[in-house]
Amino acid sequence: MNDLIELNNIELILPQIIITEFEKNKARIVEENKRSLVGVLSRVKEMVNKFGDDVEREKVLSHLSDIQHISPILGEYAAQGSLNWIETLFTTTKPIKITSAVMVKGPERAIGKIAPFHRAKNNMADAVIIESYFSAVKSDYDDKNKYLFVNHNTEDFSHPLDNKKLAHPDFDSYFSSAKSKYYINLSEALKSIWPNLISNMLVEREEFAQNPRTLSQILDAKNELTSKIWYNRHQIRVEKIKNGSIRIIEDKYFDPKTAQITITKSIWKGAQKSALNVERRFKVEQLVWNDFEWAMLNGKLSALRWVLGEDWDELYTLLDWNIISL
C-alpha cells in the first residue's frame, strides 16, 4: 500500500476513529503476539517430551528450543514492524472527521439490529468506520474510481452463514457494483486491481525479509569467536614465555599472587593442545588480524554474549580452552 500510494495508484480513506482505536490497542497487540508464539511452542515441546520418538526427540527439541529462543523477538518484530508501517500509512492522508450524517446512521443500525449490530454487541465504532466508507463511495460520482473495503473483522462485517469473504447481507446494496468491493485480505484486494504488480512487489519483499538467528547459530558464532580470541591471547602468552615474562612452573608451586607472570605445566599442556585444535579447525589466514579486525572480533563476541543475557563487554576466555580442547 505504501508503494502504491507513493505511485499515486491508491488513496487511503482514514476515519479519525481508526487512529484512535489503533493507538488504544497497539501495545496490547505487540504483547499478545509475543505471548501467543511462546505459548504454542511450550505446548508443542511438552507433547514432544511425552510422546515423541526416542530417537528423534532430542533433535526435535533442539530445533524447537531454537525457535522458542527467537519467538519473542519474532513476535515483537513482526507486530512492531506492521504497526510501524501502519503509522507510516497514516501520514499519507488527512484523517476524515465523523460527519453528523454518519453519526445518525450508527444508532439507526443499532435500533434495527442491522450489521454490525446483529450480534447484540455495541459496535458503534465499527458502524462509524463502515458508514464513513459508504459516505466516501456515494459522494464520488466517477465510476472509474474503484473502492475497496478491507477488514479482518469477519464476525461483524462478513456473511454469518456463508463464505466469510462475502459481506454481511445487510451491506449488499453497497457492495453490489464493480465500484465497491468487500475483502478480508489486503493482498487479495490489491491483486484484484493490479495482479501482476502486487505479485512482483510481494516477491521482492519476501526476498529481502530478514529473520533473527536461531539459538544454535548464535551459540556457534559465539564459540567460534571465543576460540579465535582465546587463540590470539594464547599466542601473546607464547611470546611472553619465550622472552621470560611468564614462567612455566610445577602445579604445586601455583600462587594466585603470581598468576600474571606464571603458568602451571598442566594448564600449559592443555593450552597447547587447545591451540592445535584451533589451528586444525581454522586456516592460518583466519587466525591473523589487524587492529581493526581484532576490535571487530571483540565487539561481536560482546554483542552475542549480551544477546544471551550477559552484561556488555564480557570478553573472558580464561577457562574456554577446556571446552576448545574437547
Side-chain angles (χ1 to χ4, degrees):
M1 278 192 68
N2 192 64
D3 293 342
L4 291 170
I5 288 171
E6 289 183 355
L7 293 169
N8 293 319
N9 285 342
I10 197 169
E11 183 179 341
L12 179 66
I13 300 173
L14 183 64
Q16 178 62 46
I17 193 169
I18 288 181
I19 299 177
T20 303
E21 290 293 309
F22 175 83
E23 290 296 330
K24 185 171 70 175
N25 289 287
K26 64 180 183 180
R28 175 183 57 79
I29 290 169
V30 172
E31 190 57 36
E32 285 181 357
N33 225 41
K34 289 195 294 185
R35 286 203 306 264
S36 175
L37 280 171
V38 172
V40 168
L41 286 166
S42 295
R43 290 193 293 274
V44 172
K45 286 181 74 174
E46 288 177 11
M47 294 296 289
V48 171
N49 255 323
K50 288 181 179 179
F51 308 111
D53 178 78
D54 291 340
V55 177
E56 297 293 329
R57 182 185 292 120
E58 290 306 316
K59 184 190 294 186
V60 173
L61 288 174
S62 176
H63 285 308
L64 287 173
S65 294
D66 275 346
I67 299 171
Q68 191 169 28
H69 172 74
I70 64 172
S71 60
I73 304 171
L74 283 172
E76 184 174 4
Y77 181 79
Q80 194 60 58
S82 296
L83 295 176
N84 290 344
W85 276 114
I86 291 169
E87 289 179 323
T88 300
L89 288 171
F90 284 173
T91 66
T92 64
T93 188
K94 185 178 180 180
I96 57 176
K97 295 180 180 179
I98 302 173
T99 65
S100 56
V102 167
M103 287 303 296
V104 168
K105 290 287 185 180
E108 288 179 355
R109 286 182 172 277
I111 293 170
K113 295 184 178 179
I114 300 171
F117 293 97
H118 57 290
R119 297 196 303 132
K121 179 182 173 185
N122 182 4
N123 282 336
M124 187 60 69
D126 290 333
V128 169
I129 290 170
I130 199 162
E131 285 295 344
S132 296
Y133 169 80
F134 294 152
S135 176
V137 176
K138 287 188 291 185
S139 64
D140 185 353
Y141 297 101
D142 188 347
D143 289 334
K144 292 180 181 179
N145 293 330
K146 307 297 181 185
Y147 285 78
L148 311 176
F149 183 81
V150 188
N151 82 101
H152 293 168
N153 184 1
T154 57
E155 293 296 321
D156 294 323
F157 291 123
S158 291
H159 200 295
L161 303 175
D162 206 339
N163 191 332
K164 292 298 181 182
K165 290 186 177 183
L166 300 175
H168 193 284
D170 291 345
F171 303 133
D172 275 352
S173 60
Y174 297 98
F175 295 111
S176 58
S177 68
K179 184 176 181 179
S180 175
K181 294 293 183 181
Y182 179 86
Y183 289 92
I184 61 173
N185 180 283
L186 179 59
S187 62
E188 284 186 15
L190 298 177
K191 282 180 181 178
S192 70
I193 302 178
W194 304 281
N196 293 331
L197 177 62
I198 300 304
S199 294
N200 291 336
M201 284 182 168
L202 291 174
V203 168
E204 287 179 9
R205 289 198 177 277
E206 288 173 2
E207 287 178 352
F208 290 103
Q210 292 182 330
N211 291 321
R213 306 293 182 191
T214 65
L215 178 59
S216 59
Q217 288 176 315
I218 293 173
L219 290 173
D220 287 345
K222 186 206 75 164
N223 291 336
E224 177 179 329
L225 290 166
T226 301
S227 298
K228 289 179 176 180
I229 291 172
W230 174 87
Y231 182 82
N232 182 273
R233 293 174 180 174
H234 172 75
Q235 295 304 313
I236 294 172
R237 189 178 294 111
V238 169
E239 290 298 319
K240 288 186 176 182
I241 289 173
K242 287 181 179 178
N243 65 31
S245 300
I246 293 179
R247 293 180 295 107
I248 300 174
I249 61 174
E250 298 290 340
D251 290 13
K252 62 182 179 180
Y253 296 125
F254 173 73
D255 186 345
K257 294 179 181 178
T258 61
Q260 295 298 318
I261 58 172
T262 60
I263 185 169
T264 65
K265 284 185 175 180
S266 61
I267 291 179
W268 182 238
K269 183 179 179 181
Q272 287 178 308
K273 181 180 178 182
S274 294
L276 287 173
N277 287 337
V278 173
E279 290 167 359
R280 293 190 191 103
R281 182 179 172 191
F282 304 104
K283 297 178 181 179
V284 175
E285 56 267 27
Q286 292 180 302
L287 299 172
V288 179
W289 309 277
N290 58 36
D291 289 345
F292 175 79
E293 291 167 337
W294 177 244
M296 285 292 292
L297 281 178
N298 284 273
K300 289 175 181 178
L301 180 59
S302 173
L304 291 178
R305 284 188 170 155
W306 182 82
V307 167
L308 291 168
E310 299 189 52
D311 292 330
W312 280 114
D313 304 325
E314 291 291 352
L315 298 170
Y316 58 86
T317 58
L318 184 62
L319 300 178
D320 291 329
W321 66 266
N322 288 307
I323 299 171
I324 296 165
S325 64
L326 295 177

